[in-house]
Amino acid sequence: DVKVTQSSRYLVKRTGEKVFLECVQDMDHENMFWYRQDPGLGLRLIYFSYDVKMKEKGDIPEGYSVSREKKERFSLILESASTNQTSMYLCASSWGSASPLHFGNGTRLTVT
Amino acid sequence: GENVEQHPSTLSVQEGDSAVIKCTYSDSASNYFPWYKQELGKRPQLIIDIRSNVGEKKDQRIAVTLNKTAKHFSLHITETQPEDSAVYFCAASRSGGSNYKLTFGKGTLLTVNP
């Protein structure tokens, strides 16, 4: 069974802090994704990566960056956290084009 | 880019009734349409998916239909049970190339009343 592990379940940070969210998958998947989930807004794509060191902007990349130095690991970085980035962040991976996403358990980030 | 609209946002049914959730998409090149179920406090999980070369797919009490001409697809749950209560998301994407990404609808909260 595919396992996608997010490093933190809950995180509380202060405005202006640099925040790292880590995600690791164990199935040698090519694609990795970061979504944020907010009530009434569904799942919105922040960034995705289809290969090591490759990244593509999703629908809401502003205020975020990503890093994929190894195939199994995809990091989301908030350069300077703001209160409007308080949200649930979901990492996902998939083996190829048009294939199911496997999600992690999510990180609930609160920025105060 | 792709835009996926999902209706209704909430749906309440009696146990044993059927539930239907509908989605429309904007990109005529989209050809992969999965549905995810998210129970309270848990991760979204794939329950069924359909590709554009198929008009309908069934898996026990769940079925999905696709109308490519009208650019809409629907999830049908028959004989609903309380454990079907969850948020359901539809999604759409193209296949092929490096630009693979899923665009999700905003979700439908389904409540099945015993």
Side-chain angles (χ1 to χ4, degrees):
Chain A
D1 196 20
V2 177
K3 193 166 185 182
V4 179
T5 303
Q6 293 184 232
S7 55
S8 303
R9 192 82 165 107
Y10 299 95
L11 212 51
V12 179
K13 296 292 182 181
R14 293 191 182 272
T15 302
E17 278 192 84
K18 191 169 186 176
V19 181
F20 293 86
L21 302 183
E22 306 286 344
C23 175
V24 177
Q25 50 95 1
D26 67 355
M27 282 299 290
D28 202 34
H29 282 175
E30 300 292 331
N31 304 314
M32 296 189 75
F33 306 83
W34 277 105
Y35 287 88
R36 67 176 278 177
Q37 183 173 20
D38 301 287
L41 297 179
L43 297 162
R44 293 181 293 166
L45 182 63
I46 305 171
Y47 267 97
F48 65 106
S49 168
Y50 54 88
D51 202 352
V52 176
K53 298 193 186 294
M54 304 304 290
K55 60 184 179 183
E56 294 281 348
K57 292 181 179 179
D59 300 315
I60 52 165
E62 296 78 18
Y64 304 94
S65 62
V66 290
S67 173
R68 194 165 180 204
E69 296 297 317
K70 293 185 178 182
K71 192 174 186 179
E72 67 271 19
R73 187 179 296 271
F74 193 36
S75 303
L76 179 69
I77 304 155
L78 286 66
E79 296 290 344
S80 177
S82 63
T83 55
N84 62 12
Q85 293 178 310
T86 291
S87 186
M88 171 67 83
Y89 290 88
L90 287 164
C91 175
S93 70
S94 72
W95 62 266
S97 175
S99 62
L101 264 57
H102 299 267
F103 285 91
N105 280 326
T107 296
R108 184 164 293 283
L109 173 67
T110 302
V111 183
T112 61
Chain B
E2 176 65 276
N3 182 48
V4 177
E5 299 283 341
Q6 182 172 347
H7 298 281
S9 56
T10 61
L11 179 59
S12 181
V13 300
Q14 290 299 123
E15 184 176 357
D17 287 351
S18 294
V20 180
I21 302 170
K22 299 182 179 181
C23 290
T24 60
Y25 60 98
S26 61
D27 185 355
S28 56
S30 288
N31 55 9
Y32 175 62
F33 307 94
W35 286 87
Y36 287 81
K37 175 184 180 182
Q38 187 178 29
E39 297 176 6
L40 188 63
K42 296 191 176 179
R43 71 185 80 186
Q45 291 197 299
L46 179 77
I47 54 171
I48 194 167
D49 57 10
I50 191 168
R51 299 175 194 274
S52 60
N53 57 346
V54 175
E56 183 176 359
K57 185 176 179 181
K58 280 187 179 181
D59 183 3
Q60 299 182 356
R61 297 186 295 109
I62 293 173
V64 58
T65 58
L66 171 65
N67 183 328
K68 284 220 75 178
T69 304
K71 290 191 284 187
H72 68 71
F73 55 113
S74 301
L75 178 72
H76 305 254
I77 306 173
T78 58
E79 300 172 22
T80 53
Q81 300 167 3
E83 52 265 38
D84 294 329
S85 296
V87 178
Y88 291 80
F89 294 97
C90 63
S93 80
R94 301 182 178 192
S95 63
S98 60
N99 196 25
Y100 166 54
K101 62 174 186 174
L102 272 176
T103 301
F104 285 85
K106 292 184 178 180
T108 296
L109 174 62
L110 173 64
T111 303
V112 180
N113 302 299

